[in-house]
């Protein structure tokens, strides 16, 4: 049973459908919810040299550009029924702005919840900002 906010699902589907994915044909959308409760959406943007921008990175960049620095929730939607989890680079990027309360949720193409993770489950033994403290 899907218990996600219908407006969140609508945003996820809409942003995924605006992805620019001419090479992989694998559109992905993401919505991050900041500590203030604001939502920031992002889609993957591919480029010809194959170093594009992931949806999660796009959404986190929008959040950081708005001056926010803490993630409460991350939602990711792909084009199918299988899990479309964040790549390794995005897992590290999420880790930068996450804490022990952050939840990462992956939904199917229609927005039904497939799986949710804590940051520790998504990226065990992660290297974070505290590892750089003197």
């Amino acid at each position: 049973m899907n218990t996600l906010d219908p407006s969140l699902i609508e945003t996820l589907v809409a942003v995924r459908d605006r992805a620019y994915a001419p090479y992989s044909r694998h559109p992905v959308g993401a919505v991050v919810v900041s500590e203030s409760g604001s939502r920031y959406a992002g889609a993957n943007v591919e480029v010809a040299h194959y170093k594009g921008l992931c949806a999660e990175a796009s959404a986190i960049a929008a959040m950081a550009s708005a001056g926010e620095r803490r993630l409460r929730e991350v939602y990711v939607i792909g084009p199918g029924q299988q899990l479309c989890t964040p790549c390794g680079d995005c897992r590290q990027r999420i880790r930068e702005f996450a804490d022990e309360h952050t939840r990462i949720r992956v939904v199917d193409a229609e927005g039904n919840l497939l799986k949710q993770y804590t940051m520790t489950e998504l990226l065990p033994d992660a290297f974070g900002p505290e590892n750089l403290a003197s």
Side-chain angles (χ1 to χ4, degrees), residues 23-83:
Y23 307 106
S24 72
R25 300 191 198 298
H26 189 81
V28 179
V31 170
V32 299
V33 181
S34 67
E35 189 172 48
S36 73
S38 296
R39 293 179 180 173
Y40 301 92
N44 59 324
V45 178
E46 297 177 351
V47 293
H49 74 309
Y50 299 114
K51 291 185 180 180
L53 184 65
C54 295
E56 300 92 328
S58 179
I60 290 170
M63 180 193 80
S65 295
E68 300 220 47
R69 298 292 186 259
R70 189 58 57 203
L71 287 170
R72 187 185 321 160
E73 299 172 282
V74 177
Y75 294 88
V76 182
I77 187 171
Q81 301 307 310
Q82 70 284 354
L83 284 172

Side-chain angles (χ1 to χ4, degrees), residues 11 16 26 28 53 60 64 72 81-82 86 88 90 93 98 101-102 108 122-123 129:
T11 301
R16 184 218 36 225
H26 189 81
V28 179
L53 184 65
I60 290 170
R72 187 185 321 160
Q81 301 307 310
Q82 70 284 354
C90 286
R93 188 179 275 61
H101 303 292
T102 305
D108 69 13
L122 190 67
L123 188 63

Side-chain angles (χ1 to χ4, degrees), residues 2 5 7 15 26 50 54 66 75 83 97 101 116 127 131:
N2 198 346
D5 177 355
S7 70
V15 74
H26 189 81
Y50 299 114
C54 295
Y75 294 88
L83 284 172
F97 298 96
H101 303 292
Q116 73 174 352
F127 185 91
N131 294 101

